[in-house]
Amino acid sequence: MFAALAATALFLMSGRWVAALYTDYLWYDSLAAADVWRTRVITTLTLSAGSFAVAALFAFVNLFAVRHSVVSLVLPRRIANIEIGEEVPGRYLFLAAAILATVVGAALMLPGDVWSEALLARMGRPFGEADPYFGADLGFFVYRLPFETTLYFWSILVFGVITALVVLLYALTPSLRWDRGHLYVSAYVRRHVVMLGGVLLLLLSWSYRLAMYRLVASGGGAGGMFTSIDHRVLVPAMLLLAVVTLCAAFVVLWAGWSGQLRLAFLAVSAVFILSVLARSVAPLLARRSVGPADAIAQESPYIATRLSYTRRAYAVDRMRPEAIGAGFRSIAAAASRASLWDGSTLALAAERVRRVRVVGDGAAWQERDGVLTALLVEHTSDGALDSRDVWGITRFDPTSGDERGMPVRSGTGAGFGDESLLDEPAVFTGAPGYSVVSDSLGRLVGVEMASTTSRIAHAWALQNFRLLFGEIPLDRPTIVQRRDVRERVRSLAPFLVQGRDVVPVVAGDSLYWAIELYSASTAYPLSQRLTVLGSERGYLHHAATALVHAPSGRVRLVVVPVPDPVAASWVRQFPRLFVTVSSLERAVQIALPPPGDGARTQALAFALAGFRGDSLELRHFASPDGADSAASREPIHVALPGAGVATLWPLLDEQERVRGVVASESGPLRATTWIPLESDGLRWGGVLDRLRSADTASHESGLVRSPVRVLPVAGRAAYVQSIYQWRPGGSPRLARVASVLDDSVRVSSTLVAAAGVPASGTMLAPGRRDFRAMTDSLYRTMRGALARGDWSAFGRAFDALGAALRQAAP
């Protein structure tokens, strides 16, 4: 009976596994990504088989040794009233050891989610650049070192579990027992434990080797910088320890086999003493032997190397430097192109006023003929239509509010209507895991459920037998799985890191969801570690954009024009999974959003390292930002001339003055640009105080201030802060806008009013005063750059002055 139940359970579990594997293949094949499924399955099976064999063999060797310590095993057997001891045959003990080893090996297999790491270690494309200390290609640190570290930690786990099992089994025998207040350990057990100690020394030698390479990623200096002590003391020490510990491991193994336990103790003691001397005493003596002045000179080359690798690790070298004067020609031009609403606050206002649910993370942003528009994807259930789900796109003017401070819906003056209806998307954020729908037009990406085989497989895999016996649509029934946007993209590209936001993209009458994908590494050498996307990383490059067609669920991974080596490796491995920007429709190319997380990371790295060849100035993000805790920290969106929609981040120098803004552009290229600004002499803290003190109605209850934004206007900074009336449980309303313009503080209903734009909305033409302010700013920049010998900044300002003069010429 028990055997029948066990066989039935095994059949059901194995059948579900096969059904899940088959339905997974059908899903990947429907997305033209069968090669991803095939590679994942083959790599996972190879890793599982290899790790199972190693763990099971190591377990069996140790369990076989334990079995040999047992001379005989006698179990009591009762016949009627007579108790007879019966010896268990040796072949049964051997079989028990083999079965237990098999169970342990199956339990300790490598997890399936390391397949991409293992594959990248095998096929990763070289960086073509060697690190200056080991001479290894940077691909070794990004590809092989992480997978080798994973194998090391798995080996530690296997060793620990099997060692604990061996000790437990010995404790069940007389060979290891507590006798009269003392622990008795037989000679056989001591030899076995010493042999395990030799294996532990092998693992310790491996850890010293890995630590030697990890030093270049996380050294002993400030912020994990690789220092001269790491280079000249710790790296040789780790290499010496690795070699000595390896030799000691073989000595201990031989000593355990031959019973020379004293020799094993001496070898272990020597490794311990050498480890203390090499890792603690030697670095301390090296630091004390160098004076403060010599230490600064000694660390200078390492600091320069760190800055250089930081630029490459976060693609700072791909940023485009603009000249002073880039951005808006006047505040009047900026007023109608800068958003006073961030996407999160706009979505919250729409949800509470219009009684809808905004789908996606914030708004889609569009620029057309100089007009900035925010689009929200809204979902509601209309009771008048039998609770039919209604989906639509509503367009808002984010640069102003109505007389009540509520968001203003865009009219036809922008060249399009303010609202349009959509069919229910097949894929969206927060969607249920799967659904079976009728697809008579064949537009959905899914698996047909017409055949009995498909219905049985899906019912078994999903544990929902209504798919087999229940009613399903008659007209081309199709099952759409992984309807959540993130889950769908993660299944196709688990080897790339997803950005924080699922951004709606509207092109014509089509709705897409966009998720930015990044190549990331924690083992990239010598760069500054930054906390990005929830983890500390040493390398982050924008790799692709996952573009999911909402009505059908089709996914396209749009690779960047110049992919980094990691992204290029995946493109070469899965060429059918990726497409180029030029293959997209022109409307989709223009609507591609700025890569926010990647640009922000570039800005962070640029603040630390600057451009190559620039005179280094300390820069940092504007903090504090003057915002209340309830406000969103989303960067400002603007319609930047010549760059489409862009997001802006201000950077400050060591005197807390704004030095410029980093702009992340939308569209096909989506470049990140540094727009330098002439110093206006205002310190950041002083600007925050002036903006807060200028708002005479700041005593009102329910006020929420957004972060202070910086707009590049005629080569100088214009400071803007939106103030919302936002009571608990209510909808946010735009109360007013505080701004610092031309060293004067103004509080108005909108930035357009503060700039003096006529009510008709016609922007004032830039006048002579704007032109003179720009040329004066460029002239001062050239003099400052000349005084400090910064020829790169001098050249950019000189080119900008020439462009301004040519543009002003009749």
Side-chain angles (χ1 to χ4, degrees):
M1 182 63 179
F2 176 77
L5 290 176
T8 303
L10 180 63
F11 171 76
L12 291 176
M13 288 190 296
S14 59
R16 184 183 181 186
W17 180 79
V18 172
L21 201 64
Y22 174 66
T23 55
D24 248 12
Y25 169 77
L26 295 178
W27 183 82
Y28 277 93
D29 189 56
S30 68
L31 285 163
D35 51 344
V36 177
W37 178 89
R38 192 177 300 109
T39 303
R40 188 198 70 183
V41 170
I42 292 175
T43 307
T44 301
L45 289 177
T46 302
L47 290 173
S48 298
S51 58
F52 167 77
V54 172
L57 180 61
F58 185 65
F60 178 74
V61 169
N62 283 274
L63 294 176
F64 186 74
V66 174
R67 177 259 175 275
H68 266 275
S69 70
V70 180
V71 178
S72 63
L73 180 63
V74 178
L75 298 178
R77 186 174 181 182
R78 194 175 190 86
I79 301 177
N81 293 326
I82 303 175
E83 188 174 293
I84 302 174
E86 182 178 1
E87 181 178 351
V88 178
R91 65 179 183 275
Y92 287 176
L93 294 177
F94 179 86
L95 183 60
I99 293 175
L100 185 55
T102 302
V103 172
V104 170
L108 294 178
M109 289 190 300
L110 277 168
D113 56 359
V114 303
W115 72 270
S116 58
E117 194 177 76
L119 182 62
L120 190 61
R122 181 179 64 82
M123 61 82 182
R125 180 177 177 178
F127 277 63
E129 179 184 3
D131 80 282
Y133 305 114
F134 293 103
D137 186 88
L138 299 184
F140 166 79
F141 297 93
V142 176
Y143 307 144
R144 290 182 53 191
L145 190 61
F147 181 60
E148 189 175 341
T149 302
T150 298
L151 292 179
Y152 165 74
F153 284 115
W154 172 79
S155 301
I156 289 290
L157 175 64
V158 170
F159 175 82
V161 170
I162 294 177
T163 299
L165 180 61
V166 166
V167 172
L168 176 63
L169 292 177
Y170 273 130
L172 299 177
T173 68
S175 301
L176 180 63
R177 65 181 185 274
W178 191 261
D179 186 20
R180 298 179 181 179
H182 297 283
L183 181 65
Y184 171 77
V185 182
S186 68
Y188 187 89
V189 174
R190 285 199 296 270
R191 290 175 60 186
H192 193 172
V193 171
V194 169
M195 295 287 288
L196 288 174
V199 176
L200 181 60
L201 285 180
L202 288 175
L203 295 175
L204 185 61
S205 174
W206 192 5
S207 73
Y208 286 139
R209 176 184 180 275
L210 295 175
M212 178 180 66
Y213 288 114
R214 284 199 298 266
L215 275 173
V216 296
S218 182
M225 188 180 78
F226 186 74
T227 65
S228 60
I229 300 297
D230 298 323
H231 180 207
R232 299 174 182 176
V233 178
L234 283 176
V235 167
M238 292 297 106
L239 179 60
L240 177 63
L241 281 173
V243 174
V244 171
T245 306
L246 179 64
C247 296
F250 287 113
V251 170
V252 170
L253 288 172
W254 180 83
W257 182 264
S258 59
Q260 303 290 330
L261 302 185
R262 184 174 298 176
L263 179 62
F265 175 76
L266 292 176
V268 172
S269 300
V271 169
F272 175 75
I273 294 172
L274 184 61
S275 175
V276 172
L277 292 175
R279 303 186 68 178
S280 300
V281 177
L284 180 62
L285 295 177
R287 290 189 186 95
R288 292 190 174 182
S289 65
V290 180
D294 294 335
I296 295 175
Q298 189 171 275
E299 298 302 328
S300 295
Y302 298 92
I303 294 175
T305 300
R306 184 180 182 85
L307 294 175
S308 176
Y309 275 80
T310 298
R311 295 186 195 103
R312 282 171 283 185
Y314 303 106
V316 173
D317 291 340
R318 298 188 182 184
M319 290 177 61
R320 186 177 65 197
E322 280 285 6
I324 285 185
F328 301 104
R329 291 293 304 273
S330 66
I331 189 59
S336 60
R337 292 170 174 256
S339 174
L340 300 180
W341 295 84
D342 58 78
S344 301
T345 308
L346 184 65
L348 185 60
E351 285 182 337
R352 293 185 176 176
V353 173
R354 295 167 55 81
R355 300 293 190 269
V356 296
R357 183 172 72 93
V358 174
V359 184
D361 297 320
W365 301 87
Q366 288 185 349
E367 180 267 339
R368 184 177 298 182
D369 299 330
V371 177
L372 182 65
T373 307
L375 297 86
L376 296 179
V377 179
E378 299 176 346
H379 174 215
T380 186
S381 181
D382 190 350
L385 298 175
D386 297 328
S387 298
R388 180 175 63 88
D389 284 346
V390 178
W391 291 79
I393 298 174
T394 304
R395 295 170 171 84
F396 293 89
D397 175 12
T399 64
S400 62
D402 61 15
E403 63 278 1
R404 298 177 302 148
M406 299 306 297
V408 178
R409 292 200 291 178
S410 301
T412 57
F416 39 77
D418 69 335
E419 191 169 0
S420 56
L421 296 179
L422 297 170
D423 293 332
E424 180 178 357
V427 177
F428 55 92
T429 303
Y434 64 91
S435 60
V436 181
V437 295
S438 175
D439 185 27
S440 58
L441 299 179
R443 66 182 182 90
L444 294 177
V445 175
V447 180
E448 290 190 41
M449 295 279 286
S451 67
T452 304
T453 302
S454 178
R455 295 184 65 174
I456 292 175
H458 283 91
W460 205 339
L462 298 173
Q463 296 291 283
N464 182 2
F465 287 93
R466 285 180 295 180
L467 297 176
L468 179 60
F469 302 109
E471 293 185 1
I472 61 174
L474 297 178
D475 194 359
R476 199 174 185 270
T478 301
I479 184 169
V480 182
Q481 293 180 274
R482 297 180 176 93
R483 296 185 62 195
D484 181 76
V485 181
R486 286 196 179 277
E487 183 187 3
R488 177 166 285 233
V489 174
R490 189 182 300 113
S491 298
L492 288 175
F495 38 79
L496 297 175
V497 178
Q498 294 186 12
R500 289 179 299 176
D501 298 327
V502 178
V503 181
V505 174
V506 180
D509 58 352
S510 297
L511 172 63
Y512 300 85
W513 306 109
I515 302 178
E516 305 302 334
L517 303 177
Y518 299 93
S519 305
S521 173
T522 59
Y524 186 85
L526 301 170
S527 65
Q528 173 76 46
R529 266 46 198 165
L530 300 177
T531 301
V532 182
L533 296 174
S535 298
E536 189 178 81
R537 308 181 191 277
Y539 178 92
L540 189 92
H541 276 235
H542 187 209
T545 299
L547 205 60
V548 183
H549 189 228
S552 67
R554 187 167 302 281
V555 181
R556 289 180 288 183
L557 302 187
V558 186
V559 68
V560 297
V562 184
D564 69 293
V566 179
S569 301
W570 293 116
V571 172
R572 182 175 59 181
Q573 180 69 26
F574 304 120
R576 297 180 59 194
L577 191 62
F578 294 87
V579 298
T580 60
V581 178
S582 59
S583 66
L584 303 177
E585 300 85 351
R586 182 60 183 170
V588 178
Q589 294 182 33
I590 296 173
L592 289 175
D597 297 301
R600 183 180 180 276
T601 305
Q602 283 180 293
L604 283 171
F606 174 70
L608 295 169
F611 284 125
R612 189 190 306 272
D614 266 355
S615 58
L616 182 63
E617 299 179 11
L618 295 176
R619 308 180 183 94
H620 60 87
F621 271 27
S623 179
D625 55 15
D628 294 324
S629 58
S632 169
R633 262 60 182 186
E634 183 179 330
I636 188 172
H637 287 78
V638 299
L640 201 63
V645 177
T647 52
L648 304 179
W649 290 272
L651 293 182
L652 312 181
D653 62 14
E654 57 183 347
Q655 284 81 35
E656 297 297 312
R657 296 185 176 93
V658 174
R659 295 292 300 173
V661 295
V662 173
S664 175
E665 303 172 4
S666 62
L669 297 180
R670 293 187 288 172
T672 305
T673 305
W674 165 245
I675 303 177
L677 298 175
E678 177 65 21
S679 176
D680 52 14
L682 298 177
R683 295 183 183 274
W684 184 252
V687 172
L688 300 184
D689 292 339
R690 295 178 68 180
L691 288 171
R692 185 172 288 269
S693 62
D695 186 14
T696 58
S698 59
H699 61 277
E700 294 181 14
S701 63
L703 290 182
V704 174
R705 293 170 176 82
S706 70
V708 175
R709 318 294 194 178
V710 176
L711 301 176
V713 178
R716 297 171 72 86
Y719 307 91
V720 180
Q721 185 178 37
S722 300
I723 303 171
Y724 303 104
Q725 185 73 41
W726 195 345
R727 292 187 173 88
S731 175
R733 303 168 183 265
L734 182 64
R736 48 194 166 272
V737 179
S739 58
V740 177
L741 310 172
D742 297 328
D743 203 26
S744 61
V745 185
R746 306 176 188 178
V747 178
S748 308
S749 59
T750 64
L751 186 57
V752 173
V757 179
S760 63
T762 316
M763 290 187 297
L764 297 176
R768 182 71 181 173
R769 183 173 178 275
D770 293 329
F771 175 73
R772 175 148 187 184
M774 178 183 295
T775 54
D776 286 346
S777 175
L778 292 172
Y779 176 70
R780 287 193 299 271
T781 301
M782 292 170 63
R783 286 186 61 87
L786 186 62
R788 64 178 182 268
D790 191 345
W791 294 106
S792 298
F794 180 87
R796 290 196 296 269
F798 183 81
D799 292 340
L801 180 60
L805 292 173
R806 286 192 299 272
Q807 186 174 357

